[in-house]
Amino acid sequence: MARHVVLGKGAVGSTLVNVLAGRGESVLVVSRSGRPAAGSDVEHAAVDVADGAALARAARGADVIYNCVNPPYHRWVSDWPALISGALDAAAATGAVLVTAGNLYGYGTHGAVMTEDLPLRATESKGAARAAVWHEAERRHRLGELRATEVRAGDYLGPLADSQAHAGPRFLDPLLAGKVVRTVVAVDQPHSWTYLPDFAHAMVAAGATAEAWGSAWHVPTAEPLTFRELAGRFAAAAGAPEPRMRPVPPAALRALGLVSPLIREIAAVSDHFSAPFVMSTEASQKVLGTTATPWSVAVTDTLAARAASRATV
């Protein structure tokens, strides 16, 4: 049985833990608090990921380390260098494969379909920060210090999507209640949306596939939808009224950003929705051997999980 160490317990990390635990794998979850979720029987440890030596001690014997940490938007530039350094040091010390959960921000391109061989040329601060994360992992992999890969997703959705997600509760709650959905981004351009379980399965596959190491891969993702089309699919599946979506005007968004660092950083990448933001996953499907969940299943399962969670409250 392989030993898996998951760094972070947000939406991506928690989904990954569920997948691994469901397979009967040995799993350790690392977070600052070390507190397990209610009813969890998975091992947890309190470790600062930026402390590579402490992380290496906690991860001793690991076969794969999954880097699912995600600082708040406004702290990416300040926090990511130490976090990736700690994760890489731990991978080098333990001999574990490091699989980092990435995104598409580093490409810095809009309108063209994104493929894994596109250079990371983002000039916006968060995209540049994420590009630097991969460049450092790739550099140390090339030097032979460790084995590393990155799995990149579009904006995620699914059963454990949280308030940080564009298509999480702040989208579904008003939509299913028949209320106006106020978005901070445009809603009528094609966009790649990644289903969280697909993200988790792709990360597991990347950690176990030697051919994937040393390169970055896109999560196999269903066909792109505009935000409005996505809302229509959820509304139809739930029997909710026709969606009413009203983006916040750019001027109002900028004003909110003056008092909210999070909103300010969201506004800085709002152009991801003002032009086509689509990725290709053909190469990763061949290498990782995973496929995207069809939209009909992703929508139905997300709604079922939401209903189940509300029934237990």
Side-chain angles (χ1 to χ4, degrees):
M1 179 188 298
R3 175 70 165 163
H4 303 266
V5 175
V6 179
L7 313 182
K9 55 182 183 180
V12 177
S14 296
T15 302
L16 177 58
V17 168
N18 288 347
V19 167
L20 292 167
R23 297 182 179 187
E25 301 284 0
S26 170
V27 183
L28 168 67
V29 180
V30 169
S31 64
R32 281 185 177 274
S33 70
R35 288 193 298 270
S40 173
D41 57 1
V42 172
E43 182 183 359
H44 285 251
V47 181
D48 181 356
V49 171
D51 186 340
L55 181 57
R57 289 192 295 271
R60 186 177 293 114
D63 295 285
V64 187
I65 297 174
Y66 304 91
N67 176 15
C68 302
V69 296
N70 190 26
Y73 257 14
H74 62 285
R75 286 178 20 205
W76 278 18
V77 173
S78 61
D79 290 8
W80 263 118
L83 291 171
I84 191 58
S85 179
L88 289 168
D89 287 348
T94 61
V97 178
L98 179 66
V99 183
T100 294
N103 58 32
L104 307 177
Y105 289 20
Y107 293 120
T109 183
H110 313 292
V113 174
M114 289 168 276
T115 57
E116 289 94 336
D117 58 359
L118 279 179
L120 301 178
R121 293 177 175 171
T123 55
E124 188 275 326
S125 62
K126 291 181 296 305
R130 288 312 308 248
V133 165
W134 172 242
H135 285 150
E136 179 62 8
E138 184 181 38
R139 182 186 72 82
R140 294 185 63 173
H141 178 97
R142 298 283 182 253
L143 289 173
E145 297 179 10
L146 47 83
R147 297 168 295 167
T149 180
E150 182 170 282
V151 178
R152 297 172 183 158
D155 285 284
Y156 64 72
L157 51 79
L160 295 182
D162 51 25
S163 60
Q164 300 294 319
H166 286 290
R170 57 190 169 97
F171 158 72
L172 284 177
D173 288 350
L175 175 74
L176 300 181
K179 299 179 180 178
V180 173
V181 179
R182 301 288 291 179
T183 72
V184 295
V185 294
V187 298
D188 290 311
Q189 291 292 333
H191 197 85
S192 287
W193 304 89
T194 294
Y195 186 49
L196 277 167
D198 292 342
F199 202 166
H201 286 294
M203 293 188 72
V204 173
T209 305
E211 187 181 351
W213 306 339
S215 299
W217 304 96
H218 292 168
V219 179
T221 294
E223 68 272 16
L225 297 175
T226 69
F227 210 161
R228 194 182 303 278
E229 289 171 338
L230 181 68
R233 296 215 179 193
F234 273 103
E242 184 74 17
R244 293 178 293 156
M245 304 187 72
R246 295 179 187 168
V248 175
L253 193 60
R254 289 193 294 271
L256 289 171
L258 296 176
V259 295
S260 169
L262 176 60
I263 294 297
R264 183 165 60 250
E265 295 302 328
I266 290 175
V269 292
S270 60
D271 58 349
H272 292 180
F273 286 84
S274 61
F277 198 70
V278 175
M279 65 176 176
S280 167
T281 64
E282 293 179 3
S284 60
Q285 290 181 59
K286 294 177 182 177
V287 171
L288 301 181
T290 65
T291 57
T293 300
W295 273 118
S296 58
V297 176
V299 169
T300 298
D301 287 357
T302 299
L303 291 173
R306 181 178 185 274
S309 66
R310 288 173 169 257
T312 59
V313 175

